[in-house]
Amino acid sequence: MAFATPPLSCLCWLTAVTLTLLALHVRPVNVQAVRKLSLYTGVIPGFSLGEMLLGNPNVTLRVYDILLGCRADKAPFTVLKLNTLIPLDDYTNVTKYLSGLTNDLSAVQSVDLSPYQVLTPALQSALNDLQSAGLSSINFTQITSVLNQPVTSFDVSTYISTMASLISYCVNPTQARWSAHKTTMETIRDSKVPAVDTAITTLKASLATLESHIAGVDNKTDMVLTLAAEADNQIQNNMTAVLSDGASAFESKLTGYVSQYATEATYLAYNEIGNCLPLWNLYRSFVVMLCNYGVDSLNGFWFSLGWGLFFFIPVVIVGITVAGYYSTMDSIRNWPEPEEEHDDEDFDDFQAKLDMLK
Ligand SMILES: *[C@@H]1O[C@H](CO)[C@@H](O)[C@H](O)[C@H]1NC(C)=O
Ligand SMILES: *[C@@H]1O[C@H](CO)[C@@H](O)[C@H](O)[C@H]1NC(C)=O
Ligand SMILES: *[C@@H]1O[C@H](CO)[C@@H](O)[C@H](O)[C@H]1NC(C)=O
Ligand SMILES: *[C@@H]1O[C@H](CO)[C@@H](O)[C@H](O)[C@H]1NC(C)=O
Ligand SMILES: *[C@@H]1O[C@H](CO)[C@@H](O)[C@H](O)[C@H]1NC(C)=O
């Protein structure tokens, strides 16, 4: 035995006891079965520890292996091959339980994004109209130069004073008409022309604002058109891939946590929980107690008996050889007779002394 070497005598003793018990057992022994018993494999036909403990005859479970496992301080789950009874690896296979999640995430990946469009036909045509409206072709320099020209191309005041000198040469009703014209001209000079000047000033300011706003409007429209087309391209052609990547990453992260936990739990069951070194120690103590303290003390007895039996042989021979001499000793002549022994001598002596005392 590799793991334990109980004294040979202990084994012999145990074998002797077992054989005695077997002999006392009156039930007929299946000789065929005993013959088939292989001492090397320790397998008894028709007997399966696997079937007894786990209900599965296909599992090779041997007491020797169990003791070996316990000596190595393994967990009972490993030593007793409990995984055939409780398929822990199968139970902790996360993939089986997360098929629903995988399907849901696949649904996310196959979402239809075709209705989502940034650059709708309406928006595109509006932007194209804006570009073709010719805003960029407005010549603000020309408009401003026109607006900078004076409102009147002649001197109104000179014209009015000429009219006033003419009025004095005329008679009514012509004089009255010239007077009315002169009043009209004065009104134009004093209120209409300043009003137009003010309006032109305001217009120029507005034009400047408009010009600053219009500047680059074509470029901006172009940019909007390009970016919107690019966004649409991404949504239609790349969004699904991005969603898919995201969903896969999410799924692997989620299953990663769960399967890490399952792996750890399985590892604990296989290696850490309830390690059975104490069982080995118990067995070892049992063997030591039985063989070293129990049977070894009996070894003296067997030793004495053996040597006794051994020395009986010469003693018997010597005894038989000298038996003739002993039997003829009594009949040899002149051999002194043993004296008669008086068992009651002491008593008689005692009686005599007692009589003397009286
Ligand atoms: C044991 O193995 C045999 C043959 O391979 C098979 O028919 C039988 O179902 C197995 N028994 C168990 C309990 O797995
Ligand atoms: C987990 O189960 C799936 C499907 O049921 C299977 O394809 C996979 O091989 C199993 N994984 C392990 C480690 O047993
Ligand atoms: C705008 O008008 C000015 C003056 O008439 C002219 O010199 C200039 O070339 C014009 N600019 C454009 C872009 O047509
Ligand atoms: C318009 O865009 C073109 C090229 O994109 C650039 O060269 C030009 O300077 C831009 N014009 C303005 C006014 O921003
Ligand atoms: C899709 O998007 C990703 C990330 O935004 C980018 O790295 C990749 O180049 C894009 N693929 C295509 C074909 O546009």
Side-chain angles (χ1 to χ4, degrees), residues 50 53-56 59 77 80-88 91:
L53 293 180
L54 306 171
N56 187 347
V59 182
F77 200 86
L80 293 176
K81 300 187 178 172
L82 288 180
N83 55 335
T84 55
L85 201 64
I86 308 161
L88 204 58
Y91 288 165

Side-chain angles (χ1 to χ4, degrees), residues 334-353:
N334 300 330
W335 194 262
E337 284 289 324
E339 285 184 17
E340 283 289 321
E341 295 214 353
H342 300 286
D343 287 347
D344 53 351
E345 191 177 359
D346 288 349
F347 179 74
D348 289 348
D349 190 34
F350 173 75
Q351 195 63 41
K353 283 176 181 166

Side-chain angles (χ1 to χ4, degrees), residues 32-80:
Q32 285 301 111
V34 173
R35 275 199 191 134
K36 273 194 271 176
L37 169 68
S38 165
L39 288 174
Y40 297 102
T41 60
V43 173
I44 303 173
F47 173 77
S48 163
L49 200 58
E51 184 171 19
M52 207 169 83
L53 293 180
L54 306 171
N56 187 347
N58 295 346
V59 182
T60 316
L61 195 62
R62 290 184 296 181
V63 177
Y64 177 72
D65 292 339
I66 294 175
L67 282 173
L68 267 188
C70 282
R71 189 190 183 193
D73 200 18
K74 287 184 178 164
F77 200 86
T78 311
V79 171
L80 293 176

Side-chain angles (χ1 to χ4, degrees), residues 69-355:
C70 282
R71 189 190 183 193
D73 200 18
K74 287 184 178 164
F77 200 86
T78 311
V79 171
L80 293 176
K81 300 187 178 172
L82 288 180
N83 55 335
T84 55
L85 201 64
I86 308 161
L88 204 58
D89 297 312
D90 194 35
Y91 288 165
T92 52
N93 186 348
V94 194
T95 325
K96 286 198 318 191
Y97 309 109
L98 294 180
S99 57
L101 176 73
T102 313
N103 290 344
D104 289 349
L105 289 174
S106 314
V108 170
Q109 291 169 18
S110 60
V111 68
D112 179 22
L113 290 170
S114 55
Y116 301 97
Q117 211 177 4
V118 175
L119 191 62
T120 57
L123 178 64
Q124 189 161 20
S125 95
L127 287 171
N128 286 337
D129 286 352
L130 185 64
Q131 270 188 321
S132 58
L135 283 176
S136 55
S137 60
I138 299 173
N139 190 339
F140 284 96
T141 321
Q142 197 175 13
I143 295 171
T144 310
S145 73
V146 169
L147 288 176
N148 281 340
Q149 286 170 12
V151 177
T152 49
S153 54
F154 54 91
D155 189 358
V156 182
S157 297
T158 315
Y159 189 66
I160 289 171
S161 57
T162 310
M163 281 174 94
S165 58
L166 275 174
I167 285 168
S168 56
Y169 294 112
C170 296
V171 291
N172 276 330
T174 310
Q175 193 183 36
R177 284 193 195 129
W178 274 110
S179 291
H181 283 310
K182 182 173 162 270
T183 310
T184 307
M185 281 309 290
E186 279 170 353
T187 309
I188 285 171
R189 185 196 60 189
D190 295 338
S191 63
K192 299 287 183 190
V193 170
V196 170
D197 278 338
T198 310
I200 283 172
T201 310
T202 313
L203 186 59
K204 281 199 285 192
S206 297
L207 269 175
T209 312
L210 182 64
E211 188 180 9
S212 74
H213 282 308
I214 281 177
V217 78
D218 275 357
N219 267 15
K220 281 171 186 161
T221 312
D222 275 344
M223 208 184 289
V224 168
L225 280 168
T226 313
L227 288 178
E230 175 61 21
D232 275 345
N233 178 38
Q234 288 286 330
I235 287 175
Q236 299 308 324
N237 301 320
N238 201 10
M239 197 65 146
T240 323
V242 171
L243 275 179
S244 174
D245 289 352
S248 305
F250 178 69
E251 185 191 354
S252 58
K253 202 166 192 173
L254 202 63
T255 52
Y257 290 137
V258 183
S259 55
Q260 270 172 26
Y261 182 79
T263 311
E264 181 64 17
T266 317
Y267 173 81
L268 286 179
Y270 271 102
N271 299 299
E272 300 285 347
I273 297 174
N275 292 13
C276 65
L277 186 61
L279 198 66
W280 161 259
N281 289 338
L282 198 66
Y283 164 79
R284 192 83 191 106
S285 309
F286 175 74
V287 167
V288 167
M289 269 167 58
L290 187 73
C291 296
N292 292 14
Y293 295 101
V295 178
D296 276 2
S297 58
L298 291 173
N299 284 346
F301 169 74
W302 294 109
F303 179 81
S304 316
L305 202 63
W307 279 108
L309 286 172
F310 178 73
F311 283 117
F312 262 144
I313 299 167
V315 167
V316 165
I317 295 168
V318 170
I320 290 172
T321 316
V322 298
Y325 297 107
Y326 284 128
S327 59
T328 55
M329 263 180 196
D330 279 353
S331 55
I332 293 174
R333 238 179 272 170
N334 300 330
W335 194 262
E337 284 289 324
E339 285 184 17
E340 283 289 321
E341 295 214 353
H342 300 286
D343 287 347
D344 53 351
E345 191 177 359
D346 288 349
F347 179 74
D348 289 348
D349 190 34
F350 173 75
Q351 195 63 41
K353 283 176 181 166
L354 196 67
D355 290 344

